[in-house]
């Protein structure tokens, strides 16, 4: 489910890309996310199922899951999320930077982006959901969308949205994000 901020100031909820509706993906409010987590825990307790620490795209991946150096690019939103989480866990700013699309940036923009990326090196990524347009039922066939990540630091959980762009079969985070 995606929450879309519409141009008129209202919100719409949908299972398709917000771009299709003329809106922009917006994070679910923290209280809604907390209720969802609480319900998942309650359901897991009631059914005896285990609840993974990670959510969404990351739920079934080991925390260290990342492509080895030199083995191409992220070819799905799931791999992009896994790469980002593992790089953040390692605190490796250069590996985090590999997930971003640097094309067309000026030197000043690149320096600002690196300052933002350095802040990600001290944060844990505990969940990720990808919202994008799909083709023929394949959730990873999107030309782009939004990667909404749940971050955990000393201040508690928070959500950040990253625009995603697909280029030549590779998925990259766009520099339009703000944390």
């Amino acid at each position: 489910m995606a929450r879309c901020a519409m141009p008129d100031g209202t919100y719409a909820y949908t299972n398709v890309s917000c771009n299709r509706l003329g809106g922009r993906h917006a994070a679910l409010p923290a209280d809604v996310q907390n209720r969802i987590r609480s319900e998942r825990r309650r359901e897991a307790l009631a059914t005896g199922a285990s609840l993974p620490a990670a959510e969404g795209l990351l739920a079934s991946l080991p925390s260290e899951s990342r492509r080895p150096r030199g083995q191409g690019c992220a070819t799905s939103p799931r791999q992009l999320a896994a790469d980002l989480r593992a790089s953040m866990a390692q605190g490796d700013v250069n590996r985090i930077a590999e997930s971003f699309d640097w094309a067309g940036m000026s030197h000043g923009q690149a320096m600002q982006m690196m300052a933002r990326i350095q802040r990600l090196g001290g944060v844990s990524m505990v969940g990720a959901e990808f919202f994008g347009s799909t083709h023929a039922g394949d959730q990873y066939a999107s030309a782009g969308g939004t990667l909404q990540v749940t971050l955990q630091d000393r201040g508690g959980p928070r959500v950040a949205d990253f625009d995603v762009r697909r280029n030549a079969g590779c998925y990259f985070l766009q520099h339009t994000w703000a944390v």
Side-chain angles (χ1 to χ4, degrees), residues 24-154:
R24 179 170 142 43
H25 286 280
L28 289 172
D31 63 324
V32 172
Q33 290 190 22
N34 289 334
R35 283 196 313 260
I36 290 169
R37 285 189 189 100
S38 177
E39 288 300 317
R40 285 179 180 165
R41 281 192 299 272
R42 187 185 340 248
E43 185 177 319
L45 287 172
T47 62
S50 62
L51 186 63
E55 298 176 6
L57 294 176
L58 302 174
S60 62
L61 295 176
S63 61
E64 68 280 351
S65 178
R66 195 199 193 297
R67 288 176 295 106
R69 288 184 193 267
Q71 284 201 351
C73 60
T75 58
S76 71
R78 180 183 175 101
Q79 185 63 62
L80 181 62
D83 287 354
L84 183 61
R85 179 180 64 170
S87 298
M88 289 171 64
Q90 295 168 358
D92 188 336
V93 175
N94 290 322
R95 294 291 295 238
I96 295 170
E98 288 178 356
S99 295
F100 285 86
D101 181 5
W102 295 89
M105 268 194 220
S106 69
H107 176 74
Q109 290 171 321
M111 295 303 290
Q112 289 175 348
M113 177 56 67
M114 281 306 294
R116 291 181 193 160
I117 289 172
Q118 286 176 335
R119 289 193 299 265
L120 288 176
V123 177
S124 296
M125 186 169 129
V126 295
E129 293 287 341
F130 178 73
F131 302 100
S133 59
T134 58
H135 307 282
D138 178 2
Q139 87 180 84
Y140 301 125
S142 175
T146 300
L147 183 66
Q148 187 175 74
V149 299
T150 304
L151 304 169
Q152 179 73 44
D153 61 14
R154 285 180 266 156

